[in-house]
Amino acid sequence: MRPLAAIAPVNPFAAIASRLLDAGVDIERFDGLTEPERVRACFRLVRACFPVDQPNQPEWSLASFSAKWVQGFDGSPHESWIVADASGEAVGCYLLTLPARENVELAHAVLRVPPDRRRAGIGTALLRHCADRARLADRTRLVADAWDSSAGAAFAAAAGATAGIPNVHRTLQIDDDVRGRLPGLRAGAAARAAGYSVLSWAGRTPEDQLEQLAAVHTAMADAPRNAGVEPWVWDADRIRRLEKLTAEHGVVNYTVAAQHDAAGQLAAVTQLVTDPGAPGWGIQQITAVLPAHRGRRLGLLVKVAMLELLASAAPDVTRIVTENAGSNEYMIAINAELGFGVSGVTRSWQLDLTGAAGRQS
Ligand SMILES: CC(C)(COP(=O)(O)OP(=O)(O)OC[C@H]1O[C@@H](n2cnc3c(N)ncnc32)[C@H](O)[C@@H]1OP(=O)(O)O)[C@@H](O)C(=O)NCCC(=O)NCCS
């Protein structure tokens, strides 16, 4: 634990930090496994941000929020920190993830200050603290996501971070028009996809499909991404762990795949999850087609089949949210054909930790 009193007023953030310092608050690390009340405090705080920062976007349940903040989705080392005011009310928190498998020079931050406590220097104090923690772990860049034109984007720019490529979020309202177009879309895609069969499952992936599913996940490496960021390396264990953790926290995974009949191999996949904290929402995960199988409308085929699967397996899902790099023209064309409309843009912001930006002293 580092008291804010340790912040020396020698950098551009000094005036802001001193406001918080005057308030006499400490940033404290907590262990979510033994301190569930602090997890709940962070959860309440993060939920308070939603209507302001990302209205009309799916929220988390406490269970899936805890899976991320307490266990960490991908098994990477992570730290949770919280700051409360003199009355004990939580006024900021951050989750720092230190990727261990790829991107080992990066640290990823989720940093939140509730709307009614902003512009008082709390975010700056948390950021400086978080940057120091990342440096201690030998990280050279700190990455965080923010919506365009949001307080987060202004804050990141003011801190000296650099914006990455746009990630365009789109939402599909599943109405009668969409449902009515599905048979035609499916027939058009199927006509180009002779020799492939569609498989689907709800819940965890059967053991005998895990290796092949991991192989298709590797096709995500071709999707546009920020400079200096490595794609995830997928294997059966990673998928198994992720699916187990999320299932234990109430998240339901839906998968649709296209299998190449002659080879007996998966060629394309799309996955979506539902979360009890986001009733009515489907949250798109990956859609990928292996390079050798592209150009056969398999991406559209599996996404149409996903909508058909949801109609029977999760009929309460009426909205789907997805995000793609702005330059991912093929995926965007498929989403446009289905009827997705743009709902906003996020970017990753990178703070160079080797320079003076965000230093405590
Ligand atoms: C981003 C966030 C953490 C900032 O917290 P905060 O406590 O308000 O931040 P600070 O008071 O330390 O602000 C520092 C500077 O950032 C800039 N800034 C912050 N919010 C801003 C806004 N809404 N508009 C313009 N500039 C802003 C200003 O330069 C500000 O200094 P100033 O108040 O002296 O002008 C908070 O708005 C938040 O939780 N947003 C949602 C989550 C998010 O986007 N996090 C990702 C951050 S990369």
Side-chain angles (χ1 to χ4, degrees):
M1 181 174 83
R2 178 195 292 271
L4 287 173
I7 298 171
V10 295
N11 62 39
F13 297 118
I16 300 164
S18 66
R19 278 187 256 157
L20 188 57
L21 188 131
D22 289 345
V25 290
D26 287 351
I27 301 171
E28 294 184 298
R29 187 170 180 177
F30 66 95
D31 176 356
L33 287 175
T34 56
E35 298 175 277
E37 184 42 52
R38 285 183 146 179
V39 179
R40 282 195 288 274
C42 286
F43 178 64
R44 282 194 296 271
L45 193 161
V46 170
R47 283 196 81 187
C49 295
F50 263 91
V52 173
D53 299 313
Q54 44 197 95
N56 302 317
Q57 296 294 320
E59 298 191 18
W60 303 82
S61 67
L62 174 60
S64 52
F65 177 85
S66 302
K68 181 167 186 179
W69 279 64
V70 180
Q71 277 92 352
F73 273 147
D74 76 337
S76 294
H78 56 280
E79 304 180 356
S80 310
W81 293 82
I82 190 165
V83 58
D85 66 11
S87 74
E89 186 187 336
V91 295
C93 58
Y94 74 81
L95 171 69
L96 178 68
T97 303
L98 303 163
R101 191 156 168 188
E102 53 280 305
N103 296 308
V104 295
E105 292 181 354
L106 298 186
H108 193 270
V110 175
L111 196 155
R112 297 285 183 270
V113 173
D116 60 349
R117 305 306 289 261
R118 293 183 181 173
R119 304 302 286 271
I122 298 170
T124 302
L126 285 171
L127 176 64
R128 292 165 61 191
H129 189 279
C130 179
D132 271 4
R133 296 296 305 174
R135 283 191 195 93
L136 273 177
D138 291 327
R139 307 297 158 132
T140 57
R141 285 172 291 155
L142 181 64
V143 180
D145 297 332
W147 291 84
D148 275 8
S149 307
S150 71
F155 171 78
T162 309
I165 60 174
N167 252 332
V168 183
H169 295 240
R170 289 179 170 81
T171 302
L172 177 70
Q173 189 73 45
I174 308 174
D175 55 16
D176 287 346
D177 172 60
V178 171
R179 281 187 280 269
R181 287 189 293 109
L182 290 183
L185 288 169
R186 179 189 247 273
R192 295 269 302 276
Y196 294 85
S197 308
V198 172
L199 334 172
S200 65
W201 56 90
R204 293 180 61 185
T205 298
E207 277 293 316
D208 62 354
Q209 298 284 7
L210 278 171
E211 292 287 351
Q212 285 195 40
L213 183 63
V216 184
H217 270 63
T218 60
M220 285 302 286
D222 299 343
R225 62 181 179 280
N226 285 303
V229 176
E230 298 162 355
W232 273 30
V233 176
W234 288 99
D235 57 32
D237 267 353
R238 198 168 204 175
I239 295 178
R240 191 185 291 113
R241 182 190 187 283
L242 198 60
E243 288 188 354
K244 177 173 183 295
L245 179 70
T246 52
E248 284 169 357
H249 290 81
V251 172
V252 181
N253 190 45
Y254 296 90
T255 305
V256 176
Q259 178 174 271
H260 187 244
D261 296 329
Q265 297 279 325
L266 297 190
V269 71
T270 189
Q271 292 189 298
L272 174 150
V273 297
T274 57
D275 183 322
W281 284 98
I283 304 156
Q284 180 69 51
Q285 309 294 299
I286 78 156
T287 300
V289 180
L290 282 174
H293 300 273
R294 290 180 186 162
R296 294 178 175 85
R297 307 292 274 158
L298 295 179
L300 181 62
L301 185 72
V302 291
K303 290 201 77 161
V304 169
M306 174 62 81
L307 288 165
E308 292 170 342
L309 170 66
L310 293 175
S312 58
D316 56 315
V317 172
T318 54
R319 280 185 292 180
I320 295 179
V321 65
T322 189
E323 65 181 283
N324 312 106
S327 55
N328 194 342
E329 54 185 305
Y330 296 117
M331 196 67 251
I332 290 168
I334 291 170
N335 288 333
E337 204 164 348
L338 288 166
F340 279 83
V342 173
S343 57
V345 176
T346 57
R347 286 165 212 268
S348 280
W349 289 78
Q350 286 200 15
L351 187 67
D352 178 4
L353 297 175
T354 60
R359 279 193 191 277
Q360 296 233 28
S361 57

